[in-house]
Amino acid sequence: MTELTTSEHRAQVRKAATASVVGTAIEWYDFFLYNTAAAVVFAEVFFPESTPYAGTLAAFATNFVGFAARPVGAAIFGHWGDRIGRKATLIVTLLLMGVASALIGVLPGTASIGVAAPVILVLLRIVQGIAVGGEWSGSVLLSMEWGDQRRRGLMASWPQVGVPIGLILGTGAMSLLAATAGDAFKDWGWRVPFLASLLLVAVGLWVRLKVLETPLFARVLERGDVVRLPVLEVLRRHPKEVVLSALLRVSEQMPFYLFTTFAITYVTQQLHLSRTIALTAVTCAAAVELAAIPFFGHLSDRIGRRLVYAVGAALLAVVAFPYFLLLNTGIVAVVFATIIITQIQHSMEYGPQASLIAESFPTPLRYGGAGLGYQLASVVAGGPAPLIATWLLHDYGWQAIAVFMIVGAVVGLAATLALPDRSKIDITQHGAYGK
């Protein structure tokens, strides 16, 4: 790799951070659009003959297949990300997501083409899951491996900010269309945000093409240290880190999809408040995370990743029952405040999470290792969460969902305490640990 001047290096750090945030925001915009549409309109469009309960379950089931596909994407793109580099792989993930989302936007409903509609919907959701499965670790590494190694918590948190940005854009777009399109929202209004993703992808590609390969991986290429089958190698050498990375996310990812996707259904169907109120509250909660995520990422550079993360996991158990008790008041201001404040608990974990996981793997195996650990949680935590919550609410009441959240907090906390804190380790020496 050609040596860069100090000013050129700083420029690349800024470009890498920007490309990570912008690209990740676009990917999550598309992914969250589906989540929101599943909560508010897909039951009517793709499962029109079902009861409201059955339709909601079916819509969340199609949503889940995207989560199930994410580890597949992590394995596929983890292989190539550790073989040819972070930048090239991220270009492909962005294109895949944009095309899949645009096709969802033009997909006819069940009333037009019958059972083929939900089948095609599921296939496109799988493509979305594969794309976002390969996106996360690449965007995190692009920022973290270019940035100041003494501030890895902060640098790795910038791509995490793409999640609330994507949530704001996706939920905000659906909220705007739901408020303005009226009866046309079901017919065509919900499709507009999906089609708009093509324009956003063009912007993301333009930004990402300006970034060079990360210096840490460039050194791996120069030394000839590229592993032939990196995903298999990381499973052989670092199975503990992969499993613990997945389990520590239970206390973060599971409640996140309860606080965002399931909350929309709960507020509209159980509290009988308007869809616009629910969507706007979730959008405002995401805005809080724009500042909270980098703050806790920075804090983890000061006092350690594991401590910040463990406190966040413990807080989930504390807020579980109060969360529903406050929502159940049905008072709009209280509902708004509850949905917004609970996102701070999520930020405490999500801010330091990227660096906590990525630091657990050496550079030649980092894309695949971090991606697998991160995305495996989607199968056991994030994906099934709205589906399980819908069933628990129907059969046992909201108290069962609160207990479900407490169990998640215990699992996440235990995994966090079992994973070594490598906040201060020199990750540029990729062979220094984990053999």
Side-chain angles (χ1 to χ4, degrees), residues 28 67 70-74 129 132-137 249 253 370-379:
W28 285 110
F67 289 84
R70 283 166 63 172
V72 177
V132 83
E135 163 71 23
W136 178 83
S137 52
R249 295 203 64 219
Q253 195 190 40
L372 281 176
Y374 184 90
Q375 302 298 354
L376 281 172
S378 302
V379 180

Side-chain angles (χ1 to χ4, degrees), residues 14-245:
R14 289 193 296 271
K15 288 178 181 179
T18 302
S20 295
V21 174
V22 171
T24 305
I26 293 167
E27 291 258 8
W28 285 110
Y29 163 81
D30 289 325
F31 201 75
F32 286 140
L33 269 182
Y34 193 104
N35 293 351
T36 306
V40 301
V41 75
F42 277 179
E44 298 176 68
V45 175
F46 295 103
F47 306 100
E49 301 301 320
S50 301
T51 65
Y53 170 60
T56 299
L57 281 177
F60 281 151
T62 67
N63 185 39
F64 170 68
V65 300
F67 289 84
R70 283 166 63 172
V72 177
I76 293 171
F77 291 106
H79 171 83
W80 293 109
D82 282 330
R83 290 280 298 168
I84 64 174
R86 294 33 171 147
K87 175 183 173 178
T89 309
L90 287 172
I91 298 298
V92 179
T93 62
L94 195 57
L95 284 170
L96 265 184
M97 179 63 84
V99 171
S101 296
L103 290 176
I104 290 174
V106 298
L107 179 63
T110 300
S112 299
I113 61 173
V115 72
V119 171
I120 296 172
L121 180 70
V122 168
L123 293 176
L124 291 173
R125 183 57 170 173
I126 290 172
V127 175
Q128 279 193 324
I130 290 173
V132 83
E135 163 71 23
W136 178 83
S137 52
S139 62
V140 164
L141 299 188
L142 192 66
S143 182
M144 189 180 85
E145 292 182 350
W146 261 113
D148 184 342
Q149 294 304 300
R150 294 168 300 180
R151 305 174 70 194
R152 292 197 302 263
L154 176 61
M155 292 304 298
S157 74
W158 288 121
Q160 306 286 75
V161 174
V163 170
I165 293 175
L167 184 58
I168 290 169
L169 293 175
T171 309
M174 282 295 182
S175 179
L176 178 63
L177 267 298
T180 59
D183 293 337
F185 178 75
K186 175 187 171 183
D187 296 328
W188 58 265
W190 67 269
R191 300 178 182 275
V192 175
F194 283 95
L195 295 172
S197 67
L198 287 177
L199 295 176
L200 295 176
V201 166
V203 173
L205 289 174
W206 178 73
V207 172
R208 282 190 168 171
L209 287 170
K210 293 178 176 292
V211 184
L212 298 176
E213 184 55 73
T214 73
L216 294 190
F217 189 76
R219 292 190 195 108
V220 170
L221 292 174
E222 289 174 357
R223 295 168 181 157
D225 290 340
V226 174
V227 179
R228 190 169 66 89
L229 297 172
V231 173
L232 293 179
E233 188 67 12
V234 80
L235 290 175
R236 184 181 71 84
R237 290 172 52 186
H238 302 278
K240 173 185 174 183
E241 286 83 355
V242 171
V243 172
L244 290 178
S245 295

